[in-house]
């Protein structure tokens, strides 16, 4: 076995797919059956949807979403579901069905368990990936160039051993992998308790007076909360913060809170409840030897902004292509070391963003005059609406945060001397500065530039740029064994957008190098971006290529 992954949530499954599509042999073990009705994440954002497109499942994700394709990607603030409207955000998380110049796929509102089901369906098409449920990781021991794992088959009541070149712990906030490695989480534990209920309310979607939306933020003194349609069959979610010292709600109290938030005595049935804690935590380190952590196993934060699952998918992609590169022999020792170097600064930023978003939620917005039917009530709602529209833009429209982060400090990135622009959460300015996400472009034939990028590295020759330079880089890549596909984009717009004639794009769609001509030492550029530094990959590559991937 090449890679053992602990955890069959969206992060573990995404890592398995990234690896599996590259021919790596993968075993995923999951101690649970992944059942239940809790949506966990509900938004697959524009960055994750670009990966879904890369994996060939973006359309499957859209078809699996429980809401109609023309359902508004909006969020409504109101006093109660059957109450006064306060504020209305359109096109939250960029889920509107329209072509955008900055990204190839819109965001998609869809429960996490449905995303998991779509990825599992895709993995079932790969003979080199296996998923085993009711299989709990019990022990890990590194032995030379292998890791020996002991896994309990909880259904059969016995254990089995797995030998793998690498192990990925994508097993959530209570990660067994992290515990076995003795890695600590650093930050603030359990600083806010939350109550979640899944309930069925027949006809509620079409009977309430608010505009159609994916979620409703309800601001009132009795039950400040968030609710919204979740799945087919009249299923809704309900979420609220628990006051400090408040015991978890029993079913009767939970039902009363839902009824108060709805604001009318409608019929509903609670299907499932959960109490969970908001944390802001990052692991002290993301790996030990050949064992790595991804997703909630190494970073936890409040859900506001929809960053949790989506950041985990980003981890899976970053780690997946790098492990495959090392197994296939063209990736050097700096490649896997760069996983934490690249991802941890990004995680710190997203933890901070999520924490700031969480500092202003429905129970902070309560005002005793909001529900009055007189002029004072109308003015109170108008003032609150203005404040919400200003304060929550950063949560619902954070395109700069989602697309504008950079891996510029990474040892795999060749800097070009241009200054780093400050990140504006609400504004995305495409840049091909090394480390940044490759600027997206719709081509003349209507396709996305991203569709031209290969599984390995891609050398873009822009606007009729230097073919001699391209040949030099291609020759250096061939000598090093690095997969580099050359794509010519004969477009002045592309050359202007990228600010160069040549650009190397990594497998994860980030810029590794750019220039107007061939570098003085093309070999040094190739060695750097492949993780070899100034060393030679030839001997190690031959060993690795002969022993890892079937």
């Amino acid at each position: 076995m090449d890679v053992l992954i602990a955890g069959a949530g969206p992060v573990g499954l995404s890592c398995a797919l990234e690896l599996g599509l590259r021919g790596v042999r993968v075993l995923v073990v999951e101690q649970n059956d992944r059942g239940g009705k809790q949506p966990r994440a509900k938004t697959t954002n524009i960055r994750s949807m670009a990966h879904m497109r890369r994996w060939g499942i973006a359309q499957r994700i859209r078809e699996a979403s429980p809401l109609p394709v023309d359902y508004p990607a909006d969020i409504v603030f109101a006093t109660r579901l059957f109450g006064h409207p306060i504020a209305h955000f359109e096109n939250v998380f960029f889920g509107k069905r329209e072509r955008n110049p900055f990204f190839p796929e819109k965001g998609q509102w869809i429960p996490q368990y449905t995303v998991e089901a779509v990825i599992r369906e895709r993995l079932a098409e790969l003979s080199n990936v296996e998923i085993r449920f009711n299989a709990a990781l019990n022990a890990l021991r590194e032995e030379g160039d292998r890791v020996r794992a002991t896994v309990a088959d909880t259904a059969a009541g016995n254990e089995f051993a797995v030998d793998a070149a690498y192990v990925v712990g994508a097993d959530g906030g209570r990660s067994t992998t992290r515990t076995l490695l003795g890695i600590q989480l650093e930050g603030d534990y359990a600083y806010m308790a939350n109550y979640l209920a899944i309930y069925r309310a027949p006809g509620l979607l079409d009977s309430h007076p608010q505009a159609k939306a994916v979620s409703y933020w309800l601001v009132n003194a009795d039950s400040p909360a968030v609710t919204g349609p979740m799945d087919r069959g009249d299923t809704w979610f309900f979420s609220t913060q628990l006051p400090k010292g408040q015991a978890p709600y029993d079913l009767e109290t939970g039902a009363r809170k839902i009824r108060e938030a709805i604001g009318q005595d409608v019929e509903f049935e609670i299907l499932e409840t959960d109490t969970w804690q908001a944390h802001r935590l990052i692991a002290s380190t993301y790996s030990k030897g050949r064992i790595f952590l991804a997703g909630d196993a190494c970073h936890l934060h409040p859900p506001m902004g929809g960053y949790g699952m989506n950041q985990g998918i980003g981890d899976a992609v970053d780690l997946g292509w790098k492990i495959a590169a090392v197994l296939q022999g063209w990736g050097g020792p700096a490649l896997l070391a760069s996983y934490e170097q690249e991802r941890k600064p990004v995680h710190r930023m997203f933890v901070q963003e999520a924490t700031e978003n969480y500092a202003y939620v429905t129970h902070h917005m309560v005002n005793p005059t909001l529900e009055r039917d007189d002029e004072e009530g109308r003015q109170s709602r108008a003032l609150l609406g203005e404040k919400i529209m200003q304060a929550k833009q950063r949560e619902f429209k954070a395109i700069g945060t989602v697309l504008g982060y950079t891996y510029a400090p990474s040892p795999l990135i060749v800097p070009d001397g241009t200054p780093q622009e400050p990140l504006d959460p609400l504004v995305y300015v495409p840049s091909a500065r090394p480390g940044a996400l490759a600027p997206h472009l719709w081509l003349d034939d209507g396709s996305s530039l991203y569709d031209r990028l290969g599984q390995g590295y891609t050398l873009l020759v822009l606007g009729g740029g230097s073919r001699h330079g391209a040949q030099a880089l291609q020759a250096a890549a061939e000598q090093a064994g690095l997969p580099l596909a050359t794509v010519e984009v004969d477009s002045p717009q592309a050359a202007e957008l990228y600010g160069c004639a040549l650009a190397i794009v990594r497998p994860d769609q980030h810029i590794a190098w750019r220039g107007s001509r061939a570098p003085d030492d093309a070999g040094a550029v190739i060695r750097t971006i492949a993780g070899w530094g100034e060393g030679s990959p030839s001997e190690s590559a031959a060993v690795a290529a002969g022993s890892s991937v079937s």
Side-chain angles (χ1 to χ4, degrees):
M1 186 58 57
D2 292 320
V3 180
L4 171 67
I5 298 175
V11 180
L13 295 174
S14 294
C15 191
L17 188 51
E18 185 72 29
L19 289 162
L21 290 172
R22 298 173 185 279
V24 177
R25 295 169 298 166
V26 181
L27 172 63
V28 183
V29 295
E30 168 59 55
Q31 62 183 354
N32 301 311
D33 59 9
R34 301 304 296 179
K37 300 179 182 299
Q38 295 182 29
R40 298 179 176 91
K42 295 182 285 295
T43 299
T44 304
N45 72 13
I46 53 178
R47 189 70 196 108
S48 293
M49 285 302 298
H51 293 308
M52 301 294 172
R53 184 184 181 106
R54 224 173 22 89
W55 296 330
I57 59 174
Q59 188 56 35
R60 296 191 200 184
I61 291 286
R62 303 209 186 284
E63 292 170 354
S65 175
L67 296 179
V69 294
D70 58 349
Y71 192 89
D74 295 358
I75 286 178
V76 166
F77 286 73
T79 55
R80 302 175 197 258
L81 196 58
F82 286 84
H84 299 284
I86 299 173
H88 187 157
F89 283 88
E90 296 181 347
N91 193 25
V92 297
F93 307 119
F94 306 94
K96 190 174 182 180
R97 199 173 181 83
E98 62 182 6
R99 197 164 87 158
N100 191 295
F102 296 145
F103 48 84
E105 294 283 346
K106 72 181 186 69
Q108 183 64 52
W109 190 99
I110 181 171
Q112 176 181 310
Y113 54 71
T114 307
V115 174
E116 293 176 16
V118 172
I119 300 177
R120 285 198 304 269
E121 179 185 79
R122 181 69 179 95
L123 287 171
E125 300 167 5
L126 304 179
S127 61
N128 54 318
V129 178
E130 178 187 358
I131 305 174
R132 295 188 62 168
F133 292 98
N134 300 307
L137 181 66
N138 276 354
L140 290 168
R141 184 174 72 254
E142 192 166 341
E143 299 176 345
D145 62 353
R146 308 292 291 176
V147 179
R148 167 64 65 92
T150 303
V151 181
D153 185 329
T154 57
N158 54 31
E159 292 184 337
F160 60 93
V162 179
D163 282 322
Y166 295 97
V167 173
V168 176
D171 43 357
R174 298 184 179 91
S175 171
T176 298
T177 309
R178 189 184 65 238
T179 300
L180 291 173
L181 295 179
I183 294 174
Q184 301 299 311
L185 292 173
E186 300 172 344
D188 297 323
Y189 282 86
Y191 73 94
M192 179 66 76
N194 299 261
Y195 172 82
L196 172 70
I198 308 302
Y199 65 101
R200 180 179 292 117
L204 183 58
L205 185 64
D206 295 318
S207 64
H208 70 77
Q210 306 303 331
K212 289 288 188 290
V214 293
S215 70
Y216 299 90
W217 292 52
L218 307 174
V219 186
N220 59 80
D222 301 318
S223 181
V226 179
T227 195
M230 195 192 79
D231 212 337
R232 297 174 174 89
D234 297 306
T235 306
W236 289 60
F237 72 90
F238 171 87
S239 180
T240 187
Q241 287 72 44
L242 293 173
K244 191 173 181 62
Q246 169 71 54
Y249 294 146
D250 57 24
L251 278 177
E252 182 179 352
T253 305
R256 175 169 57 83
K257 290 294 182 180
I258 293 172
R259 189 171 293 107
E260 289 171 344
I262 291 174
Q264 194 169 99
D265 192 16
V266 303
E267 289 189 11
F268 65 87
E269 173 193 6
I270 294 180
L271 304 176
E272 193 171 306
T273 65
D274 185 33
T275 300
W276 57 276
Q277 298 284 348
H279 312 281
R280 43 193 176 208
L281 300 164
I282 294 181
S284 57
T285 184
Y286 287 9
S287 65
K288 283 194 175 180
R290 292 175 167 265
I291 306 167
F292 297 84
L293 301 176
D296 286 356
C298 58
H299 50 89
L300 289 162
H301 51 71
M304 302 314 189
Y307 299 133
M309 180 189 76
N310 293 293
Q311 277 302 295
I313 291 173
D315 298 346
V317 170
D318 191 277
L319 194 53
W321 75 263
K322 290 174 179 176
I323 289 177
V326 173
L327 287 171
Q328 292 163 353
W330 59 266
L335 205 61
L336 289 176
S338 74
Y339 167 62
E340 179 173 342
Q341 294 168 316
E342 292 184 351
R343 295 300 294 168
K344 184 175 271 189
V346 175
H347 295 152
R348 289 196 182 103
M349 178 188 71
F350 279 102
V351 168
Q352 181 61 32
E353 286 294 312
T355 301
E356 290 188 17
N357 293 337
Y358 200 53
Y360 188 55
V361 292
T362 51
H363 72 270
H364 298 127
M365 303 171 186
V366 174
N367 182 313
T369 63
L370 280 177
E371 296 192 88
R372 291 176 57 166
D373 290 324
D374 57 14
E375 183 59 28
E376 185 176 2
R378 286 188 287 273
Q379 289 184 5
S380 181
R381 291 189 292 275
L383 288 172
L384 178 60
E386 291 175 4
K387 183 177 180 181
I388 289 170
M389 293 301 293
Q390 181 177 12
K392 302 305 279 184
Q393 286 278 345
R394 189 162 177 168
E395 179 171 347
F396 303 141
K397 302 279 190 175
I399 189 170
T401 303
V402 174
L403 299 182
Y405 64 88
T406 179
Y407 294 147
S410 168
L412 305 183
I413 301 299
V414 181
D416 67 355
T418 56
Q420 176 69 49
E421 296 294 330
L423 187 145
D424 184 332
L426 296 175
V427 178
Y428 171 59
V429 179
S431 170
R433 183 178 186 270
L437 181 66
H440 178 262
L441 181 70
W442 293 107
L443 302 177
D444 290 342
D445 63 2
S447 66
S448 166
L449 174 62
Y450 283 9
D451 296 338
R452 305 281 299 276
L453 306 178
Q455 277 201 335
Y457 283 77
T458 303
L459 173 59
L460 296 178
V461 181
L462 302 157
S466 171
R467 287 179 173 80
H468 172 73
Q471 290 169 357
L473 287 163
Q474 190 70 58
E478 289 175 5
Q479 184 177 4
L482 181 140
L484 179 68
T486 297
V487 173
E488 295 193 14
V489 184
D490 191 12
S491 162
Q493 181 187 0
E496 182 180 358
L497 182 63
Y498 275 69
C500 61
L502 301 168
I504 298 179
V505 184
R506 305 190 331 175
D508 59 0
Q509 300 171 342
H510 281 259
I511 300 292
W513 171 90
R514 71 170 173 176
S516 295
R517 57 179 177 80
D520 293 336
D521 188 343
V525 168
I526 297 300
R527 288 192 297 273
T528 296
I529 67 177
W532 293 103
E534 292 304 311
S536 170
S538 56
E539 183 177 348
S540 298
V543 173
S547 62
S548 55
V549 180
S550 61

